[in-house]
Amino acid sequence: MDISVIVPLYNEEESISELFEWIKRVMQAERYSYEVIFVSDGSTDRSWDIIEELQKNNPEVRGIKFRRNYGKSPALHCGFKQAKGDVVITMDADLQDSPDEIPGLYKMITEDGFDLVSGYKQKRYDPLSKTIPTKLFNATARKISGIPNLHDFNCGLKAYRKDVVKNIEVYGEMHRYIPYLAKNAGFSKIGEKVVHHQARKYGSSKFMGLNRFVNGYLDLLTLWFLSTFGKKPMHVFGFLGSVVFFIGFIAAAAIGVNKIIDLHNGIYHHLVTDSPWFYIALTTMMIGTQLFLAGFIGDLVSRSSANRNDYQIEKTI
């Protein structure tokens, strides 16, 4: 099979049929063999009924129905597991992603040799309340991920070589960082294609809100930490703990030396515990010790993990 198109959706009953007919026209014009996998993420409208109706007359249609709303990442994860195409393309169900982009994305994977191609909606029809935070978020993601050529990490329109989706795990809300996950799995040929962005035709966005961007930054920090220190937590906690303990130890030593000087000068009424710096130094040493122990325990856990030797092997002979 040439292409698998994965469409995660939540309450998009108005656009599903129109989207499929559009995808179908493109596939038939290009003579691609294909499948379209709709993943209903706990939809409460008629979305699943429409998918079932489409499947009766179109053997290319596949469907996955969640019992409740889990989120876009779980929907993509299940879609990736079912995909059979040599090239996997993801797009949103709201008709803002154009199926006319599919041939160009397909050629970038099969002819240009990219592992992953991300769409870039250079001209957007979203409100400023969404576009400005998105620009800030993408600038941070480029810096932390080390993928400087991507302008839009969160674009729903992406194309993947089949090996990519079968060797990454998309969980939580990590769909925003699939290029970063692919890079960490050893798929380094990541490209970008400027794609057409259309205004939403039906309903309203299901992904608005400040918490979406806050969670995005937290997820990015989590992914950076796991990819950098996931298998060696002692390198970060042990280092921080040692530095903090050393600062506390020097401060305690300075207080001790100051007390000796006071005794030498005949000053006996000043107690070490009278100084707030004594408690600051003691607390700092305790925090340093706890950080060091956290790194030690983290190392023990990682050494006992079933995935401690889970390495990506591309080929054996």
Side-chain angles (χ1 to χ4, degrees):
M1 185 179 293
D2 294 324
I3 297 175
S4 293
V5 180
I6 300 174
V7 184
L9 61 99
Y10 176 70
N11 290 349
E12 298 286 357
E13 61 182 0
E14 303 96 342
S15 59
I16 294 173
S17 296
E18 187 175 339
L19 175 63
F20 174 71
E21 291 301 326
W22 193 353
I23 293 173
K24 185 177 179 179
R25 287 197 302 273
V26 172
M27 296 298 187
Q28 290 179 342
E30 298 291 333
R31 299 181 182 275
Y32 293 138
S33 56
Y34 71 100
E35 64 180 354
V36 181
I37 304 174
F38 290 102
V39 187
S40 178
D41 183 22
S43 297
T44 56
D45 61 0
R46 293 190 63 253
S47 292
W48 183 250
D49 295 334
I50 294 170
I51 293 169
E52 287 186 319
E53 290 170 8
L54 285 173
Q55 203 282 326
K56 290 177 183 178
N57 300 314
N58 301 278
E60 301 87 4
V61 172
R62 310 276 189 271
I64 300 172
K65 181 183 180 184
F66 287 173
R67 291 186 182 276
R68 66 174 180 85
N69 181 254
Y70 287 100
K72 192 172 184 178
S73 290
L76 288 175
H77 174 76
C78 293
F80 287 162
K81 287 180 66 177
Q82 297 290 332
K84 299 175 183 177
D86 295 332
V87 174
V88 178
I89 291 176
T90 59
M91 61 172 50
D92 294 336
D94 54 12
L95 298 175
Q96 289 188 285
D97 296 332
S98 171
D100 290 336
E101 304 286 355
I102 290 175
L105 291 168
Y106 179 77
K107 290 175 182 176
M108 289 184 72
I109 298 292
T110 57
E111 297 179 12
D112 299 337
F114 286 100
D115 296 315
L116 185 157
V117 178
S118 181
Y120 172 34
K121 297 170 182 175
Q122 201 167 30
K123 184 178 181 181
R124 301 184 68 99
Y125 292 92
D126 293 323
L128 288 176
S129 60
K130 186 176 179 180
T131 55
I132 293 177
T134 296
K135 287 182 180 296
L136 294 173
F137 164 76
N138 282 309
T140 306
R142 283 195 296 272
K143 185 69 175 177
I144 293 179
S145 68
I147 309 176
N149 60 313
L150 290 192
H151 292 84
D152 190 357
F153 277 73
N154 199 30
C155 179
L157 186 58
K158 288 184 173 67
Y160 312 81
R161 192 178 303 281
K162 184 180 180 180
D163 287 346
V164 175
V165 302
K166 300 299 183 182
N167 287 281
I168 61 173
E169 182 184 6
V170 187
Y171 59 94
E173 295 185 32
M174 292 299 179
H175 59 274
R176 302 179 181 93
Y177 309 112
I178 290 180
Y180 195 10
L181 292 171
K183 178 189 173 187
N184 289 337
F187 299 99
S188 57
K189 292 203 67 175
I190 299 173
E192 183 175 77
K193 183 181 186 299
V194 175
V195 296
H196 179 62
H197 182 229
Q198 303 180 126
R200 173 179 272 273
K201 189 173 181 179
Y202 304 106
S204 58
S205 174
K206 315 298 190 298
F207 298 102
M208 300 294 285
L210 180 62
N211 63 319
R212 172 173 174 258
F213 299 102
V214 173
N215 292 340
Y217 276 107
L218 294 176
D219 288 338
L220 181 59
L221 291 174
T222 299
L223 188 56
W224 171 79
F225 183 85
L226 290 175
S227 64
T228 308
F229 300 107
K231 293 186 183 295
K232 45 188 178 182
M234 191 63 170
H235 287 198
V236 59
F237 288 110
F239 173 75
L240 288 175
S242 298
V243 170
V244 174
F245 181 88
F246 182 73
I247 292 172
F249 180 80
I250 294 298
I255 294 170
V257 169
N258 188 57
K259 178 63 178 177
I260 293 173
I261 293 174
D262 284 347
L263 291 173
H264 181 73
N265 293 331
I267 302 173
Y268 301 100
H269 60 279
H270 285 167
L271 298 176
V272 172
T273 53
D274 290 340
S275 172
W277 293 106
F278 170 79
Y279 298 100
I280 293 174
L282 185 63
T283 302
T284 304
M285 293 175 67
M286 291 173 63
I287 292 173
T289 302
Q290 289 177 332
L291 285 170
F292 187 89
L293 289 175
F296 180 70
I297 293 171
D299 248 17
L300 289 177
V301 171
S302 68
R303 288 174 184 272
S304 302
S305 170
N307 298 322
R308 64 188 178 278
N309 287 319
D310 184 16
Y311 308 115
Q312 297 291 336
I313 299 174
E314 180 178 359
K315 188 183 296 184
T316 59
I317 59 172

Tab-separated table of all heavy atoms in Angstrom, residues 218-259:
chain	number	residue	atom	x	y	z
A	218	LEU	N	5.556	22.493	29.327
A	218	LEU	CA	5.907	21.469	30.315
A	218	LEU	C	6.272	20.152	29.632
A	218	LEU	O	7.223	19.476	30.035
A	218	LEU	CB	4.737	21.264	31.290
A	218	LEU	CG	4.402	22.457	32.191
A	218	LEU	CD1	3.168	22.153	33.040
A	218	LEU	CD2	5.574	22.824	33.088
A	219	ASP	N	5.506	19.788	28.606
A	219	ASP	CA	5.811	18.565	27.860
A	219	ASP	C	7.166	18.664	27.173
A	219	ASP	O	7.920	17.676	27.106
A	219	ASP	CB	4.728	18.291	26.820
A	219	ASP	CG	3.425	17.838	27.450
A	219	ASP	OD1	3.466	17.349	28.595
A	219	ASP	OD2	2.370	17.981	26.808
A	220	LEU	N	7.481	19.846	26.641
A	220	LEU	CA	8.766	20.034	25.972
A	220	LEU	C	9.925	19.868	26.946
A	220	LEU	O	10.933	19.211	26.640
A	220	LEU	CB	8.811	21.423	25.321
A	220	LEU	CG	10.095	21.779	24.558
A	220	LEU	CD1	10.344	20.779	23.434
A	220	LEU	CD2	9.990	23.190	23.995
A	221	LEU	N	9.793	20.445	28.139
A	221	LEU	CA	10.836	20.291	29.156
A	221	LEU	C	10.969	18.830	29.582
A	221	LEU	O	12.080	18.330	29.792
A	221	LEU	CB	10.516	21.172	30.370
A	221	LEU	CG	10.630	22.686	30.149
A	221	LEU	CD1	10.155	23.437	31.383
A	221	LEU	CD2	12.072	23.072	29.830
A	222	THR	N	9.818	18.147	29.720
A	222	THR	CA	9.850	16.727	30.083
A	222	THR	C	10.590	15.912	29.034
A	222	THR	O	11.445	15.082	29.357
A	222	THR	CB	8.414	16.189	30.239
A	222	THR	OG1	7.757	16.901	31.285
A	222	THR	CG2	8.422	14.707	30.581
A	223	LEU	N	10.260	16.156	27.769
A	223	LEU	CA	10.886	15.405	26.687
A	223	LEU	C	12.377	15.693	26.606
A	223	LEU	O	13.190	14.781	26.388
A	223	LEU	CB	10.210	15.757	25.362
A	223	LEU	CG	10.601	14.942	24.144
A	223	LEU	CD1	10.380	13.459	24.391
A	223	LEU	CD2	9.814	15.383	22.927
A	224	TRP	N	12.760	16.965	26.792
A	224	TRP	CA	14.185	17.316	26.780
A	224	TRP	C	14.921	16.596	27.899
A	224	TRP	O	16.005	16.031	27.690
A	224	TRP	CB	14.357	18.826	26.941
A	224	TRP	CG	15.786	19.229	27.157
A	224	TRP	CD1	16.768	19.352	26.213
A	224	TRP	CD2	16.413	19.505	28.424
A	224	TRP	NE1	17.962	19.696	26.801
A	224	TRP	CE2	17.778	19.805	28.162
A	224	TRP	CE3	15.959	19.538	29.735
A	224	TRP	CZ2	18.679	20.132	29.172
A	224	TRP	CZ3	16.852	19.860	30.746
A	224	TRP	CH2	18.186	20.153	30.464
A	225	PHE	N	14.330	16.604	29.105
A	225	PHE	CA	14.997	15.957	30.237
A	225	PHE	C	15.114	14.456	30.008
A	225	PHE	O	16.169	13.858	30.247
A	225	PHE	CB	14.234	16.226	31.535
A	225	PHE	CG	14.904	15.657	32.750
A	225	PHE	CD1	15.887	16.362	33.405
A	225	PHE	CD2	14.559	14.400	33.224
A	225	PHE	CE1	16.521	15.834	34.524
A	225	PHE	CE2	15.188	13.852	34.328
A	225	PHE	CZ	16.170	14.582	34.979
A	226	LEU	N	14.027	13.822	29.536
A	226	LEU	CA	14.050	12.376	29.336
A	226	LEU	C	15.043	11.974	28.259
A	226	LEU	O	15.743	10.968	28.389
A	226	LEU	CB	12.652	11.874	28.977
A	226	LEU	CG	11.611	11.912	30.094
A	226	LEU	CD1	10.245	11.507	29.563
A	226	LEU	CD2	12.016	10.991	31.246
A	227	SER	N	15.106	12.762	27.184
A	227	SER	CA	16.021	12.417	26.097
A	227	SER	C	17.474	12.671	26.479
A	227	SER	O	18.378	12.004	25.979
A	227	SER	CB	15.671	13.216	24.843
A	227	SER	OG	15.846	14.605	25.062
A	228	THR	N	17.691	13.642	27.381
A	228	THR	CA	19.063	13.990	27.763
A	228	THR	C	19.551	13.186	28.958
A	228	THR	O	20.694	12.718	28.990
A	228	THR	CB	19.158	15.493	28.095
A	228	THR	OG1	18.613	16.251	27.006
A	228	THR	CG2	20.609	15.905	28.311
A	229	PHE	N	18.688	13.025	29.960
A	229	PHE	CA	19.117	12.388	31.206
A	229	PHE	C	18.280	11.156	31.581
A	229	PHE	O	18.410	10.642	32.686
A	229	PHE	CB	19.037	13.389	32.368
A	229	PHE	CG	19.892	14.603	32.184
A	229	PHE	CD1	19.320	15.835	31.894
A	229	PHE	CD2	21.270	14.527	32.278
A	229	PHE	CE1	20.096	16.963	31.722
A	229	PHE	CE2	22.063	15.644	32.107
A	229	PHE	CZ	21.481	16.871	31.835
A	230	GLY	N	17.400	10.712	30.677
A	230	GLY	CA	16.499	9.612	31.019
A	230	GLY	C	17.208	8.360	31.465
A	230	GLY	O	16.748	7.659	32.366
A	231	LYS	N	18.351	8.047	30.852
A	231	LYS	CA	19.089	6.839	31.212
A	231	LYS	C	20.283	7.135	32.118
A	231	LYS	O	21.038	6.223	32.461
A	231	LYS	CB	19.554	6.117	29.943
A	231	LYS	CG	18.401	5.551	29.111
A	231	LYS	CD	18.914	4.729	27.937
A	231	LYS	CE	17.773	4.221	27.079
A	231	LYS	NZ	16.899	3.266	27.779
A	232	LYS	N	20.470	8.383	32.506
A	232	LYS	CA	21.589	8.749	33.387
A	232	LYS	C	21.178	9.893	34.319
A	232	LYS	O	21.755	10.981	34.275
A	232	LYS	CB	22.812	9.142	32.560
A	232	LYS	CG	22.492	10.068	31.388
A	232	LYS	CD	23.682	10.288	30.486
A	232	LYS	CE	23.297	11.176	29.313
A	232	LYS	NZ	24.400	11.388	28.367
A	233	PRO	N	20.166	9.676	35.166
A	233	PRO	CA	19.678	10.751	36.050
A	233	PRO	C	20.731	11.235	37.044
A	233	PRO	O	20.665	12.374	37.502
A	233	PRO	CB	18.487	10.097	36.764
A	233	PRO	CG	18.697	8.631	36.627
A	233	PRO	CD	19.390	8.435	35.321
A	234	MET	N	21.699	10.389	37.384
A	234	MET	CA	22.738	10.796	38.338
A	234	MET	C	23.560	11.955	37.789
A	234	MET	O	24.087	12.763	38.551
A	234	MET	CB	23.641	9.604	38.655
A	234	MET	CG	24.575	9.845	39.818
A	234	MET	SD	23.662	10.119	41.365
A	234	MET	CE	25.000	10.063	42.554
A	235	HIS	N	23.633	12.053	36.457
A	235	HIS	CA	24.443	13.107	35.865
A	235	HIS	C	23.884	14.490	36.142
A	235	HIS	O	24.629	15.464	36.183
A	235	HIS	CB	24.549	12.890	34.348
A	235	HIS	CG	25.440	11.755	33.978
A	235	HIS	ND1	25.962	11.587	32.721
A	235	HIS	CD2	25.895	10.700	34.701
A	235	HIS	CE1	26.696	10.493	32.678
A	235	HIS	NE2	26.667	9.930	33.870
A	236	VAL	N	22.572	14.600	36.305
A	236	VAL	CA	21.993	15.909	36.603
A	236	VAL	C	21.745	16.077	38.095
A	236	VAL	O	22.158	17.073	38.689
A	236	VAL	CB	20.698	16.152	35.782
A	236	VAL	CG1	19.646	15.123	36.057
A	236	VAL	CG2	20.148	17.550	36.048
A	237	PHE	N	21.073	15.088	38.728
A	237	PHE	CA	20.768	15.227	40.155
A	237	PHE	C	22.024	15.133	41.004
A	237	PHE	O	22.171	15.842	42.007
A	237	PHE	CB	19.755	14.166	40.582
A	237	PHE	CG	18.366	14.413	40.073
A	237	PHE	CD1	17.812	13.605	39.094
A	237	PHE	CD2	17.610	15.472	40.544
A	237	PHE	CE1	16.537	13.830	38.613
A	237	PHE	CE2	16.337	15.711	40.070
A	237	PHE	CZ	15.806	14.890	39.103
A	238	GLY	N	22.925	14.234	40.632
A	238	GLY	CA	24.167	14.096	41.392
A	238	GLY	C	25.008	15.347	41.310
A	238	GLY	O	25.577	15.800	42.310
A	239	PHE	N	25.071	15.944	40.109
A	239	PHE	CA	25.854	17.170	39.937
A	239	PHE	C	25.248	18.323	40.731
A	239	PHE	O	25.957	19.028	41.476
A	239	PHE	CB	25.921	17.524	38.453
A	239	PHE	CG	26.565	18.857	38.180
A	239	PHE	CD1	27.936	19.015	38.281
A	239	PHE	CD2	25.793	19.959	37.835
A	239	PHE	CE1	28.528	20.245	38.041
A	239	PHE	CE2	26.373	21.188	37.586
A	239	PHE	CZ	27.747	21.330	37.695
A	240	LEU	N	23.931	18.513	40.592
A	240	LEU	CA	23.273	19.595	41.327
A	240	LEU	C	23.399	19.388	42.834
A	240	LEU	O	23.669	20.339	43.585
A	240	LEU	CB	21.789	19.672	40.935
A	240	LEU	CG	21.465	20.215	39.546
A	240	LEU	CD1	19.977	20.111	39.273
A	240	LEU	CD2	21.928	21.665	39.427
A	241	GLY	N	23.197	18.140	43.274
A	241	GLY	CA	23.297	17.850	44.698
A	241	GLY	C	24.686	18.130	45.239
A	241	GLY	O	24.845	18.684	46.333
A	242	SER	N	25.702	17.760	44.470
A	242	SER	CA	27.088	17.987	44.908
A	242	SER	C	27.389	19.481	45.010
A	242	SER	O	28.032	19.932	45.976
A	242	SER	CB	28.057	17.317	43.925
A	242	SER	OG	27.855	15.920	43.889
A	243	VAL	N	26.930	20.242	44.023
A	243	VAL	CA	27.178	21.693	44.029
A	243	VAL	C	26.487	22.347	45.222
A	243	VAL	O	27.098	23.144	45.958
A	243	VAL	CB	26.703	22.322	42.706
A	243	VAL	CG1	26.721	23.851	42.804
A	243	VAL	CG2	27.584	21.863	41.558
A	244	VAL	N	25.198	22.015	45.428
A	244	VAL	CA	24.444	22.616	46.534
A	244	VAL	C	25.025	22.213	47.878
A	244	VAL	O	25.161	23.040	48.791
A	244	VAL	CB	22.950	22.212	46.435
A	244	VAL	CG1	22.175	22.696	47.659
A	244	VAL	CG2	22.324	22.790	45.173
A	245	PHE	N	25.389	20.936	48.031
A	245	PHE	CA	25.998	20.474	49.287
A	245	PHE	C	27.320	21.191	49.543
A	245	PHE	O	27.609	21.601	50.683
A	245	PHE	CB	26.218	18.961	49.243
A	245	PHE	CG	26.812	18.408	50.506
A	245	PHE	CD1	25.985	18.005	51.552
A	245	PHE	CD2	28.183	18.302	50.670
A	245	PHE	CE1	26.528	17.510	52.727
A	245	PHE	CE2	28.731	17.808	51.845
A	245	PHE	CZ	27.906	17.404	52.877
A	246	PHE	N	28.123	21.360	48.492
A	246	PHE	CA	29.417	22.017	48.638
A	246	PHE	C	29.237	23.467	49.092
A	246	PHE	O	29.973	23.951	49.963
A	246	PHE	CB	30.174	21.976	47.310
A	246	PHE	CG	31.546	22.581	47.372
A	246	PHE	CD1	32.585	21.923	48.021
A	246	PHE	CD2	31.799	23.812	46.785
A	246	PHE	CE1	33.857	22.494	48.081
A	246	PHE	CE2	33.063	24.384	46.836
A	246	PHE	CZ	34.107	23.716	47.488
A	247	ILE	N	28.228	24.176	48.516
A	247	ILE	CA	27.958	25.557	48.928
A	247	ILE	C	27.566	25.596	50.402
A	247	ILE	O	28.048	26.441	51.175
A	247	ILE	CB	26.845	26.173	48.054
A	247	ILE	CG1	27.344	26.352	46.619
A	247	ILE	CG2	26.376	27.511	48.630
A	247	ILE	CD1	26.255	26.771	45.640
A	248	GLY	N	26.684	24.692	50.803
A	248	GLY	CA	26.275	24.635	52.203
A	248	GLY	C	27.433	24.296	53.124
A	248	GLY	O	27.553	24.852	54.229
A	249	PHE	N	28.299	23.374	52.685
A	249	PHE	CA	29.453	22.976	53.500
A	249	PHE	C	30.421	24.143	53.696
A	249	PHE	O	30.922	24.376	54.803
A	249	PHE	CB	30.166	21.798	52.847
A	249	PHE	CG	31.359	21.312	53.603
A	249	PHE	CD1	31.197	20.473	54.700
A	249	PHE	CD2	32.643	21.695	53.247
A	249	PHE	CE1	32.301	20.019	55.427
A	249	PHE	CE2	33.749	21.260	53.953
A	249	PHE	CZ	33.573	20.415	55.047
A	250	ILE	N	30.696	24.894	52.618
A	250	ILE	CA	31.589	26.062	52.709
A	250	ILE	C	30.995	27.102	53.657
A	250	ILE	O	31.698	27.706	54.494
A	250	ILE	CB	31.826	26.674	51.316
A	250	ILE	CG1	32.611	25.702	50.431
A	250	ILE	CG2	32.554	28.006	51.424
A	250	ILE	CD1	33.985	25.360	50.951
A	251	ALA	N	29.657	27.307	53.555
A	251	ALA	CA	29.005	28.276	54.434
A	251	ALA	C	29.100	27.830	55.889
A	251	ALA	O	29.375	28.647	56.793
A	251	ALA	CB	27.546	28.438	54.029
A	252	ALA	N	28.888	26.539	56.160
A	252	ALA	CA	28.993	26.021	57.528
A	252	ALA	C	30.422	26.139	58.042
A	252	ALA	O	30.647	26.488	59.219
A	252	ALA	CB	28.536	24.561	57.559
A	253	ALA	N	31.404	25.873	57.172
A	253	ALA	CA	32.806	25.997	57.566
A	253	ALA	C	33.148	27.446	57.904
A	253	ALA	O	33.865	27.719	58.883
A	253	ALA	CB	33.706	25.487	56.442
A	254	ALA	N	32.593	28.386	57.122
A	254	ALA	CA	32.851	29.804	57.385
A	254	ALA	C	32.268	30.215	58.730
A	254	ALA	O	32.891	30.979	59.494
A	254	ALA	CB	32.253	30.657	56.269
A	255	ILE	N	31.066	29.691	59.063
A	255	ILE	CA	30.465	29.983	60.364
A	255	ILE	C	31.329	29.411	61.490
A	255	ILE	O	31.541	30.051	62.535
A	255	ILE	CB	29.030	29.406	60.422
A	255	ILE	CG1	28.122	30.146	59.430
A	255	ILE	CG2	28.458	29.511	61.828
A	255	ILE	CD1	26.764	29.498	59.249
A	256	GLY	N	31.864	28.179	61.282
A	256	GLY	CA	32.728	27.560	62.283
A	256	GLY	C	34.015	28.349	62.504
A	256	GLY	O	34.443	28.557	63.642
A	257	VAL	N	34.615	28.793	61.399
A	257	VAL	CA	35.845	29.582	61.508
A	257	VAL	C	35.561	30.894	62.223
A	257	VAL	O	36.364	31.354	63.068
A	257	VAL	CB	36.427	29.844	60.096
A	257	VAL	CG1	37.548	30.884	60.168
A	257	VAL	CG2	36.938	28.553	59.485
A	258	ASN	N	34.427	31.522	61.916
A	258	ASN	CA	34.056	32.776	62.564
A	258	ASN	C	33.881	32.588	64.072
A	258	ASN	O	34.253	33.455	64.888
A	258	ASN	CB	32.770	33.310	61.932
A	258	ASN	CG	32.426	34.707	62.409
A	258	ASN	OD1	33.223	35.626	62.268
A	258	ASN	ND2	31.233	34.866	62.981
A	259	LYS	N	33.309	31.420	64.465
A	259	LYS	CA	33.142	31.125	65.890
A	259	LYS	C	34.496	30.946	66.572
A	259	LYS	O	34.698	31.420	67.715
A	259	LYS	CB	32.286	29.853	66.042
A	259	LYS	CG	32.083	29.436	67.497
A	259	LYS	CD	31.317	30.485	68.285
A	259	LYS	CE	31.075	30.030	69.721
A	259	LYS	NZ	30.390	31.081	70.517
